[in-house]
Amino acid sequence: MAVALDRIRVGSAPDSWGVWFPDDPLQVPWQRFLDEVAEAGYEWIELGPYGYLPTDPARLKDEVGRRNLKVSAGTIFCGLHRGPSEWDATWEQVSRVASLTQAMGARHLVVIPSFWRDDKTAEILEPPELTTEQWGHLTRGMERLGREVREKYGLDIVVHPHADTHIDTEEHVERFLDSTDSDLVSLCLDTGHYAYCGGDSVKLIETYGERIGYLHLKQVDPEILADVVKNEIPFGPAVQRGVMCEPPGGVPELGPVLTAAQNLGVDLFAIVEQDMYPCDPDKPLPIAVRTRRFLRSCGA
């Protein structure tokens, strides 16, 4: 008998429909995403890339409301490790996304560090390791972001460790958490990205439970991942190879992750994300239906 995961609120996101960009001819239209995510049995969604869904709050409220959907979070990318000179450009993006997120009644802003290699071209943009000075810029910048986003928009930031960014491996994630104020900065633990980078999600939840503010549910195919690691394949091409797979066919096992999260005794969103860019437009819905059914079997 599955444990009742009554503190876990499950949702999905445009990412599970192959959406990575605000506008791209290879992606499903936003109306189809909203129709299908509701049809698959989800109640909560993320906004995805800003500009993919309508950015007029009144229109977006109408579109999600008539499908009985609610918004859990918005998402931004930022390169705060580059120092104070990054702040104005970051805040310009944050203010647009946070304003819409707040208007939709959501309480979270997912913050993804900028990529050190291009996810489309695989071009190396920056060294994969930060200097001590850059770590200082990153941690102070994230704390400032957490403070100002909360003061101006009433949102909590949740920082998302991500493949091909500077917050990826267990070592980097723990260094980041140990170097930031828990009152200002929480984590969006993406189980797939963390496994992709060699981390153990259950261990992280059990060790840094008070820092876990949000979950992304994702799995990786261990065989494809082994090839990706061996051949140093960038994240974008790895996704095209199917490294992010449909649960329960990959790692980590999501049942133990959800149980560990439930045991924290706090309400958490657990948003399904299966990177599939680019994909056939008919592919996402059947996967979403099966994934929702699987998560129900886990108690979520």
Side-chain angles (χ1 to χ4, degrees), residues 34-56:
L34 290 178
D35 288 342
E36 291 188 351
V37 75
E39 184 183 338
Y42 291 104
E43 182 181 354
W44 294 93
I45 61 165
E46 289 185 3
L47 295 176
Y50 182 80
Y52 173 66
L53 294 176
T55 55
D56 173 62

Side-chain angles (χ1 to χ4, degrees), residues 80 87 91 107-111 138-152 154-160 176-177 179-188 210-213:
L80 293 173
W87 181 260
W91 191 254
R107 292 294 314 275
H108 295 90
L109 186 68
V110 177
V111 179
L138 175 65
T139 54
R140 288 191 298 272
M142 287 294 190
E143 288 175 338
R144 180 183 178 188
L145 190 64
R147 184 182 301 109
E148 298 202 15
V149 165
R150 185 178 294 165
E151 286 174 358
K152 292 182 171 61
L155 306 177
D156 290 329
I157 69 165
V158 284
V159 178
H160 182 324
F176 177 74
L177 291 174
S179 305
T180 48
D181 185 338
S182 60
D183 289 336
L184 298 173
V185 180
S186 293
L187 208 67
C188 168
E210 75 285 355
R211 305 300 297 276
I212 308 297

